[in-house]
Structure formats: C-alpha cells, structure tokens
Amino acid sequence: MNPEEPSLRVRGLSFCYPDYPGLPAKELFRDLELELPRGSMTALLGAPDSGKTTLCRILTGLVPRFSGGALEGRVLLPGGELGERPPFELVEEVGLVFQNPADQLFAPRCDLEVAFALESLGRERAEIRSRVEESLRWMGLEAMRDRNPLTLSGGEKKKLLLACLQAIDPALWLLDETLEELDSPTRNRLLEYLEARDKTVLLLSAKWHEILGRYAHQVAVLEDGRVRSMTVGPESGAFGKELQRAGLTLPKRPRKGQPAGGKTLIEARELEFRYPGEGSFALRLERFAVRAGEVVALIGANGSGKTTLGRILCGLLVPQEGGVLVPEAGGLEAAAPQRLSSYTGYLFQDPDLQIFLPTVSDELAYGLKLQGHGAERIRQSIQDAVSRFHLPGPEVPPALMSYGARKRLQAAVCYLLERPVLVVDEGDSGLGGPEFAALLEELHGPERGLVFITHDMKLAERLADRSVELREGRPA
C-alpha cells in the first residue's frame, strides 16, 4: 500500500434517485470530485437536503444497491475501485455512523451491538471481549453494557455507534451529523482519538462547529451537487461571511421571546424519577417552570436527564415523586398524564418515532380530525403547513423524505395542534442553524412556552431567553 495514496478519491460522481410518488427524480450530484488524503480530517458542510447522507451511503456501497438510482463516476479506495463490491466487504476499510441511530442499532444489549461486527468477521472470543470492553470504556458506556440501546438517550446512541466503529478500527471514518447530539467532552475525546491515531475522517454537518477549526485539515461545502473547497479563517472575516452565505451559521439577531409578565404555563415541582432497573441515575428537580412567550434551552451532558424531563412534561413518563402543574380555573393544579398529553407537544429526537402515516397530508390531518375540524379547514391548514415548514408536498410519503424534512414535518404537526407548551428534543440535529432558528420562530408565540433541548451552546445563547443546565439529573 502506497502511504502517499489518498484514502478516498471520488471522480466525476453523478447520481439521481428513481422517480417516487410525489418526488420526481432530480439530479443530486453532477461531476462531484472529492479527495481525502491519508490521515486527514475533512469537514464537509452542507445545508439540509444537499445530499450529505446519500454521499455517505454511496461511499459505503449502500446506494444505489439498496435504493435504486442512476450512478456514474468512480469511487477509489486504496484496495481498488468500489465498483460492485458488496457493503460487507468494506466493513474493515470504511466505517459509517448514520445520522439517525435508529437506522443502525438492532441488538438487545449494548455489548452485543459492539460485538456483532467482530463476531461476523470471525474474531476470537477473547479478542472480541477485550475490544468490546475497551470501546465501551472509551465512550463512557461501561455501566450500560447490558442496557437495551432503545433505552439510551439520542446522544448515548451516537456514542454506542462510535464504540462499534472503534472496535472494528477502520482506516476511514464517515461521520454523518455525528457531533450534533454529543456533549462537548465527548466531541473532544472523539476528535482527539481520531487525530492521535492518524485516521482519515470525513465529518459531515449542516452547521459549522468551532471545534472543527482546531482539528479539520480541510473544509469544503456540498452545494448544487458539487464539492467546493473553503479557506478556513476567523469567523468574523471572509470565512464567516462564506459560512453565512451558505446557511451554515446562526442568524446574528434572531428574535427573542417576551417572558416578562407572561403567566406560568407549566411547572414541575419536587420531581423525582428513576428508570426501573437502570442503575443509579435519578432525575431530581425542585422546580422547573415555563412562562408564556418564553423560550428555554435545556442543556447538559449526554444522559443528564434532559429527555427524561421533556417526557415527564408531556405525560410520557410519570415521576415517582412530585408532579407537573398546569393552569386550571383558580390557579395551577397537578395534571394527570392524559391531561399533559393534550396540553404539551413533544418533538422526539428521532422523527420516525412520531411519523407513521402514508403521506404528508395524512400526517398533518390526523390530529386535526381527532379535534373535530371540518374538511375545508383541514385542507387550508395542510396547505399553510406545507408552505410554512417547506415540506416537499402533501402527497409525498414521509419515508422518502430526508431526515431534516421529517423533522420539519414533526414541527408542522405540532404547529397545527396549537399546544400551549412545546418541547423540541434535539431538533437542531439534521437542520442548519438558520433553518432551526426559523423553525423555532414558527413554533413560538406570545401565548406559548417553548423548550428546546440542545448540545449547541451557541444555539442556546442566541435563541433562548434563558438556559437550564442539568448534571446527572440535577440542576447545575
């Protein structure tokens, strides 16, 4: 193997998906060129729907093998042309962390998830055991080895996928929107590890992360079907202006809420919650309240209890102690889970846990029909939501939409239901900064309280009226 040979070369790549109902085929890439020098880290930035996930799946042989479509051009690895090599032959050469962990996790225990690929590769039992323990320890998941991955938070699922990749130890790592749901210490640990071991990394994101300025050897943007290199510099200079032009930074002056004088819309008091049989974690909170017109950012490390609190506020989890109060005649009163489920809207981290009907129109109409709205009002509401949230069309199947588009569909459903309180869990994952800011702006209103969960401190600073940090289930 020539040490000077790039880890990946893409030459003249063009791709078009097949025609789907409501989604006529359109060219996604045209003569795309990309080269990853051995041992380099490349940040490939692109707006939602620009093709980042599709590119990753082409580079691992998944597309067009399992999707169909017309592919032209060459993908060259050190062992030769990707060509028709089946994906399982690439496992030890190219590793991919999917944008949505639910598309990749399937084992009933975390340690079995990490062990699966090693077992498939025929590694010895002792080696498998050693690598599984090392990888779980690297990501701080040792205490979760016997947990079902479905019970992990979104960020913990991403950490588990990274542990799976570390156990296999491929030379080329493809990380599709991986930083978004990781806390800062984990981001640093990941990038330090990759740099120290001279791995070749393609890190794809819909937004610029300042940490990339310390580790990325090259930065490029995926735009209009091609890859264009960018010259990295201070965000206040030409580089920052280019990021803004490409929609990869937050707006400078997003509109804030108006919490002063707003009535309390929801209040959690003396909460204590433990997951049955899930170790020592406990959420303990004396008081958490949201007022009308207020936007609150809920921040904290992976596994600190942010999602748990969000699900308690909407009635999906019932605390062992304390309760959640909402306005009733005469003041705040404790609300049963059934009351909270119709009072608080919740946008899951994984949009596929919430989207289940055949078309965009069906999804948008479902809740309105349950509320007894007439056909004409439902039709107008659907038209408004499709336009307001930039959805591809009312008859498009959500299963064929991008991850970011499915997030926007989630938001559109909650918007139409007009709940007084909304909890948006890691909604910025898969969305660009301006797009997420615009989404919050659509959901926000003077009579509505909005809580969004994020690991992006700059996002919290610019878009929230205040932030609440949790550490190991308690307010920081």
Side-chain angles (χ1 to χ4, degrees), residues 10 15 43 65-66 104 154 162 166 182 185 256 280 342 437 450 468:
V10 179
F15 179 71
R65 177 181 291 270
F66 299 115
Q104 207 164 3
L162 289 166
Q166 195 258 8
L182 299 178
K256 294 264 190 170
S280 61
S342 62
L450 194 58
V468 175

Side-chain angles (χ1 to χ4, degrees), residues 81-95:
E81 191 159 355
L82 182 66
E84 294 300 317
R85 293 175 65 187
F88 68 83
E89 287 189 5
L90 302 173
V91 168
E92 294 181 278
E93 297 178 54
V94 184

Side-chain angles (χ1 to χ4, degrees), residues 380-391:
Q380 292 178 357
S381 295
I382 290 172
Q383 288 181 342
D384 175 50
V386 167
S387 172
R388 189 179 293 269
F389 290 89
H390 309 290
L391 301 174

Side-chain angles (χ1 to χ4, degrees), residues 339-401:
R339 168 68 171 135
L340 292 174
S341 68
S342 62
Y343 183 84
T344 305
Y346 184 74
L347 279 71
F348 282 78
Q349 287 175 279
D350 179 0
D352 297 332
L353 294 176
Q354 220 158 357
I355 296 171
F356 60 95
L357 291 171
T359 68
V360 167
S361 178
D362 292 330
E363 284 288 347
L364 295 172
Y366 182 75
L368 299 177
K369 289 178 180 178
L370 292 179
Q371 291 178 343
H373 295 306
E376 179 59 23
R377 179 174 174 181
I378 291 175
R379 185 188 66 80
Q380 292 178 357
S381 295
I382 290 172
Q383 288 181 342
D384 175 50
V386 167
S387 172
R388 189 179 293 269
F389 290 89
H390 309 290
L391 301 174
E395 301 311 313
V396 174
L400 301 178
M401 290 160 46

